[in-house]
Amino acid sequence: MNEKNNRGKFASKIGVILASAGSAVGLGNIWRFPTETGENGGAAFILLYICCILLLGLPVMISEFLIGRRTHADASAAFEILAPKHHQWHWVGRIGLLAGIMIFSFYSVVAGWTLNYAVQAGLNRFNQMVSTDGSNVYSSYFNSFVSDPLMPTLCLVFFILLTHYVVARGIEKGIERFSKIMMPTLFLLLLLLAGFAMTTEGAAEGLNFLFRPDFSKINSSVVLSAMGQAFFSLSIGIGCLCTYASYFRKEVNLARTAGSVALIDTFVAIISGIIIFPAVYSVAGMEPSEGPSLVFVALPNIFHIIFSDYPVLAYVLPFLFYFLLVLASLTSTISMHELITAYFHESHHMSRKKATYMVTAICLVLGTLCSLSLGVGSSYTIAGMTLFDFFDYLTAKWMLPIGGLFIVIFTGWYLDRKILWEELTNNGSLRFFGFHIFLFVLKYVAPLGIFMIFLDQLGVF
Ligand code: PHE
């Protein structure tokens, strides 16, 4: 049997959607989205973000899906197969890999924090913390935890090893089975928490911040942030979803899958906002623009406030929340790990086991450096940013959208239209309404949109 037939495959349609949505839904929605929304002024940012999802993100996602499923190859080889005479294209895949390594490294740091928070919640520590000097206990706890050299690093290592374990088990047994259980549970819990958040005293102000746009807050950096957040949250621009699609069967409806993933992803982000901003406005002294600590400070506070009369809920819900956050992060890091592992395994003919170990080792080193850069190493900066912030900034705001730009140019301008049609209609067996509109968005709207946002950021307009 040749290599192609030997590759793993997702077994069911729902498994395909949940695994892709598992890649998309993660800290990007529950941690990064509220942070960016808070720093960029609220509702106006969210509107821009939704426009970026629809006009820029969806075409990129559909393109990744069709490139991956057409070739059944890793993200870099996929471009080689589709553009055998123009080798430059596979750089799109390779740069994506580099971005994948960088994202995996800084993302695992935050995932490690969630792991620690799950353990602390499991030990009922948050309910026992008391402030001795009148300062916010959860804020002091967070700051001292992340700047500690040892604990966050240990959590990060543990988290990366967890990712390693699932990826090593392969496609169907590991990734698919896992996503099927975790995703629905996460939705239910988020809805439940959103309901509770509505009962807090900051609910009205929080919703106002989220849904009443103030367009005077929009400037070029807000637009770039919205685009970066859309790409980061959808896991697009680096070939992750292209790699996942290489395990799709021929019956999968690519456009509908992309639509479902984008919908689920946006829904989870907005629900997270509905949980977090009411919480922020219910805690004295907290501001939406708090930055990366937002989720880790506002939430324990609010759990404490809402459930102070119900000790069982005060114990169970925070634990469940952080535990699910760990799982949601895991389904995302698995997709990053898989992107790079598939590349080493297939393009460099390395055994899958060896490739998995290599990726884990690289990310352990880089992840540790990112983690230390928030504490003992904070004086070492690149362009004024810690390594952690620099990786986040460079990947989300630049590498992902640039990758996405080349991907839509590839499918819109380079690839034979017949291939697009065959993949989007499964060789004519599905209807694809609005194919010409889609082509127009793919060829003109998406590439020009991304390009203009960059020009705007560089001060050209
Ligand atoms: N989309 C993921 C999240 O929201 C993060 C991610 C980015 C995953 C890029 C894969 C690739 O958490």
Side-chain angles (χ1 to χ4, degrees):
M1 216 194 261
N2 65 24
E3 174 90 283
K4 255 191 179 172
N5 298 333
N6 249 334
R7 297 176 98 244
K9 282 227 160 63
F10 290 120
S12 63
K13 277 191 196 161
I14 187 75
V16 160
I17 296 184
L18 290 183
S20 312
S23 165
V25 172
L27 292 170
N29 309 61
I30 298 168
W31 165 72
R32 203 175 185 283
F33 175 79
T35 306
E36 289 284 308
T37 305
E39 285 176 345
N40 289 294
F45 170 85
I46 297 184
L47 275 182
L48 283 173
Y49 164 78
I50 292 175
C51 292
C52 289
I53 297 258
L54 291 175
L55 295 176
L56 316 179
L58 264 177
V60 177
M61 193 190 289
I62 294 177
S63 302
E64 285 203 25
F65 277 168
L66 74 88
I67 294 172
R69 212 246 323 247
R70 180 80 185 184
T71 54
H72 292 297
D74 69 271
S76 161
F79 285 95
E80 262 166 78
I81 295 171
L82 291 174
K85 296 205 194 84
H86 298 96
H87 290 296
Q88 315 80 295
W89 281 110
H90 62 231
W91 279 103
V92 179
R94 298 212 177 138
I95 291 173
L97 289 170
L98 185 65
I101 293 177
M102 289 160 76
I103 297 177
F104 188 17
S105 306
F106 85 82
Y107 194 95
S108 301
V109 175
V110 186
W113 300 346
T114 61
L115 198 60
N116 172 61
Y117 270 60
V119 172
Q120 300 300 333
L123 297 172
N124 206 14
R125 290 270 162 76
F126 293 119
N127 291 315
Q128 294 154 0
M129 290 179 186
V130 270
S131 167
T132 45
D133 57 359
S135 64
N136 185 327
V137 258
Y138 301 113
S139 171
S140 320
Y141 174 75
F142 176 79
N143 291 330
S144 69
F145 170 70
V146 296
S147 53
D148 179 70
L150 195 61
M151 273 312 281
T153 311
L154 284 181
C155 292
L156 161 113
V157 169
F158 189 78
F159 188 84
I160 293 185
L161 294 181
L162 215 59
T163 310
H164 176 98
Y165 173 75
V166 183
V167 174
R169 286 175 61 112
I171 298 304
E172 195 195 325
K173 279 207 206 89
I175 302 175
E176 181 171 353
R177 211 173 275 177
F178 191 75
S179 307
K180 267 188 185 167
I181 308 171
M182 185 240 113
M183 295 291 291
T185 326
L186 180 68
F187 290 147
L188 284 182
L189 186 72
L190 285 176
L191 285 177
L192 189 72
L193 290 178
F196 281 123
M198 290 298 92
T199 65
T200 59
E201 57 179 290
E205 228 176 321
L207 293 183
N208 226 352
F209 181 76
L210 263 184
F211 297 121
R212 187 167 298 161
D214 171 1
F215 292 104
S216 68
K217 298 232 165 90
I218 296 182
N219 58 34
S220 63
S221 94
V222 172
V223 181
L224 185 73
S225 299
M227 172 166 76
Q229 177 57 24
F231 277 67
F232 187 88
S233 190
L234 293 177
S235 308
I236 51 174
I238 62 173
C240 263
L241 293 184
C242 180
T243 307
Y244 266 16
S246 73
Y247 307 121
F248 287 2
R249 291 171 190 277
K250 63 180 188 325
E251 306 78 35
V252 173
N253 184 336
L254 298 182
R256 188 183 292 167
T257 306
S260 313
V261 172
L263 200 69
I264 294 174
D265 190 66
T266 311
F267 180 73
V268 174
I270 306 274
I271 295 285
S272 310
I274 295 182
I275 300 173
I276 295 195
F277 290 104
V280 170
Y281 283 105
S282 306
V283 178
M286 264 204 103
E287 289 292 329
S289 55
E290 185 99 3
S293 63
L294 197 63
V295 172
F296 294 96
V297 178
L299 283 180
N301 256 305
I302 203 69
F303 285 134
H304 190 67
I305 296 173
I306 304 180
F307 304 119
S308 55
D309 293 335
Y310 310 96
V312 177
L313 290 182
Y315 171 69
V316 174
L317 289 181
F319 171 67
L320 204 59
F321 176 79
Y322 287 113
F323 179 68
L324 287 171
L325 202 50
V326 172
L327 297 188
S329 319
L330 196 54
T331 50
S332 300
T333 49
I334 290 166
S335 73
M336 302 168 202
H337 200 304
E338 180 62 33
L339 163 82
I340 319 161
T341 300
Y343 168 74
F344 283 125
H345 171 47
E346 292 175 16
S347 288
H348 289 276
H349 308 293
M350 211 180 253
S351 75
R352 197 174 150 97
K353 193 168 171 197
K354 201 165 158 203
T356 317
Y357 273 107
M358 205 169 96
V359 176
T360 301
I362 298 174
C363 294
L364 276 175
V365 174
L366 288 175
T368 305
L369 293 177
C370 282
S371 179
L372 294 178
S373 81
L374 295 174
V376 288
S378 59
S379 52
Y380 299 97
T381 55
I382 309 168
M385 287 175 258
T386 60
L387 189 66
F388 175 95
D389 287 335
F390 180 68
F391 274 10
D392 179 341
Y393 171 81
L394 193 65
T395 52
K397 294 198 177 143
W398 296 95
M399 293 174 88
L400 266 53
I402 290 177
L405 175 63
F406 282 109
I407 290 172
V408 281
I409 293 178
F410 183 76
T411 41
W413 292 89
Y414 183 87
L415 213 56
D416 193 342
R417 197 169 286 191
K418 197 166 140 267
I419 296 184
L420 290 189
W421 172 254
E422 284 172 2
E423 286 304 316
L424 292 175
T425 63
N426 292 351
N427 287 322
S429 63
L430 293 175
R431 277 167 168 259
F432 188 95
F433 291 107
F435 185 66
H436 290 286
I437 301 177
F438 173 71
L439 271 188
F440 179 75
V441 176
L442 184 68
K443 283 183 84 152
Y444 302 101
V445 179
L448 280 174
I450 301 174
F451 192 60
M452 289 193 355
I453 293 177
F454 282 137
L455 288 187
D456 186 30
Q457 173 69 14
L458 297 172
V460 174
F461 299 123

